[in-house]
Amino acid sequence: MLSAARRHRALIDSLTASGALSDRRLVSAFRSVPRHFFVPLHGAVTTSGAPLDADRAPERWLEAAYADAPIVTRIDDGDADRGEGVPTSSCSAPGVVARMLEAAGLRDGDRVLEVGTGTGWTAALLAARLGDDRVASVEIDPQVLEAARAGLVRAGRSPRTVHGDGEHGLAEGAPYDRVVATCAATRVPRAWIEQTVPGGLVVLPWTAMEGAGVLARLTVHGDGSASGPFLGGLGFMPLRSQRPPPAAAPSAEAQPDETRLLHGGDPIAPLTRFATAFPVTVMVPRWRMGLRPAPGGTGRRLWLASDDGRSWAQVVPAGTAWRAEQAGPRSLWDEVEAAQEEWRSLGGPGPDRFGLTVSADGRHRVWLDTPDGAGWDQD
């Protein structure tokens, strides 16, 4: 059985070799904070659902603690009666944490607010890099926060940790040089921008639709706006106040207003690849999508639904072709096809060519290449 120290060293070596970690001071912080201090001894699971128990299976528990993968630490906000089985807190994958903290461009003397303490590991890394007195972290779940504080004690770190709703930031102690969110947002809360100094950064996972998130690095401007690029895809659990409403595939009894055949290849495949699906999520407003087995178990079907539940569409196999069905005030499949055509007309840009501007009055606009380039309002 490899020791925790050897596994820890190997993990950081792999992050530096891959280029995920390059800042010398940040590398030192990662080396000084063991991740296993922040992994629950019992009750956590891997993303595939495998249970982790430090007493019954110590080798598997330690292996998971030092794998470059997330560990789910809480389901359904701890409400066993809810029965949804939805992960609501985790210890983020080390490579993802490294990307976020590298993107934050941390400097000696910076004061940082972390939104979403989670297990406390990221707060410990920030404290190791900047000093305990330069870091504050806010967490909405009191039980999660209690466990994080215990992990911080084990690691010998003492950043300020506060129980509260991170959507409101943490006014006491503002302004900050950096706000780093470890939860995804579709709307960047005004408090995060207002509590950041002009020229400072807000770093967060941003998404127009769950499953298609990106890392956003926004520079705060003196006029109260913030703008910056997307730095590749990543997924995080949503800010609690911005969890998406339930959405379901149309029922087998649902009758379409329009049906037509589609030819020319698999129309579903592009929407299952992040590089091609992400631009569509920002070009088509207020919608959801998902995959289900096709009727009769032959292949798969794609379903679409508007956020208000009034419109739906689905694409299903039809012999050698595909059949598109849609109903409601919006023709959702037509909107998705038009967005894909627009994306192709722009040269098929990847997610890294897009960025976000949040105006002083809270309007969100995703843009291509530059803030003054082609753009799509998200309001």
Side-chain angles (χ1 to χ4, degrees), residues 63-133:
E63 181 181 1
Y66 287 104
D68 190 8
I71 296 172
V72 177
T73 56
R74 196 155 173 83
I75 303 290
D76 294 338
D77 299 319
D79 183 358
D81 294 331
R82 191 189 303 177
E84 297 173 354
V86 176
T88 52
S89 191
S90 70
C91 190
S92 301
V96 169
V97 175
R99 283 179 57 199
M100 293 189 71
L101 298 189
E102 288 276 357
L106 302 170
R107 307 161 303 182
D108 292 349
D110 275 348
R111 299 179 66 256
V112 178
L113 172 64
E114 178 195 27
V115 177
T117 310
T119 65
W121 185 48
T122 302
L125 293 169
L126 286 166
R129 168 62 181 88
L130 299 169
D132 294 306
D133 62 337

Side-chain angles (χ1 to χ4, degrees), residues 291-311:
L291 291 173
R292 294 288 188 274
T298 56
R300 57 187 177 174
R301 65 171 169 144
L302 172 77
W303 63 265
L304 317 174
S306 61
D307 282 355
D308 62 11
R310 299 174 60 203
S311 303

Side-chain angles (χ1 to χ4, degrees), residues 255-261 312 314 316 322-326:
Q255 295 299 310
D257 296 336
E258 177 192 355
T259 299
R260 58 189 172 91
L261 287 179
W312 62 267
Q314 64 179 355
V316 297
W322 297 79
R323 184 176 70 252
E325 303 174 348
Q326 51 192 0

Side-chain angles (χ1 to χ4, degrees), residues 81-254:
D81 294 331
R82 191 189 303 177
E84 297 173 354
V86 176
T88 52
S89 191
S90 70
C91 190
S92 301
V96 169
V97 175
R99 283 179 57 199
M100 293 189 71
L101 298 189
E102 288 276 357
L106 302 170
R107 307 161 303 182
D108 292 349
D110 275 348
R111 299 179 66 256
V112 178
L113 172 64
E114 178 195 27
V115 177
T117 310
T119 65
W121 185 48
T122 302
L125 293 169
L126 286 166
R129 168 62 181 88
L130 299 169
D132 294 306
D133 62 337
R134 312 301 292 178
V135 178
S137 184
V138 59
E139 169 61 50
I140 195 170
D141 188 316
Q143 290 181 300
V144 168
L145 183 59
E146 181 181 0
R149 285 170 171 165
L152 288 164
V153 169
R154 286 191 292 271
R157 306 300 335 178
S158 56
R160 183 183 180 201
T161 55
V162 177
H163 174 228
D165 187 345
E167 183 177 26
H168 306 304
L170 188 63
E172 184 181 350
Y176 304 95
D177 300 288
R178 303 288 187 266
V179 171
V180 177
T182 60
C183 47
T186 57
R187 308 288 303 175
V188 182
R190 284 303 311 167
W192 298 1
I193 297 172
E194 292 169 353
Q195 293 174 17
T196 303
V197 299
L201 299 178
V202 177
V203 178
L204 75 151
W206 183 86
T207 181
M209 179 188 294
E210 67 274 22
V214 288
L215 177 59
R217 183 179 64 204
L218 309 181
T219 299
V220 173
H221 306 297
D223 63 356
S225 66
S227 187
F230 296 146
L231 305 175
L234 84 174
F236 268 77
M237 298 166 191
L239 188 68
R240 187 171 295 195
S241 61
Q242 296 186 15
R243 288 175 179 170
S251 69
E253 295 75 28

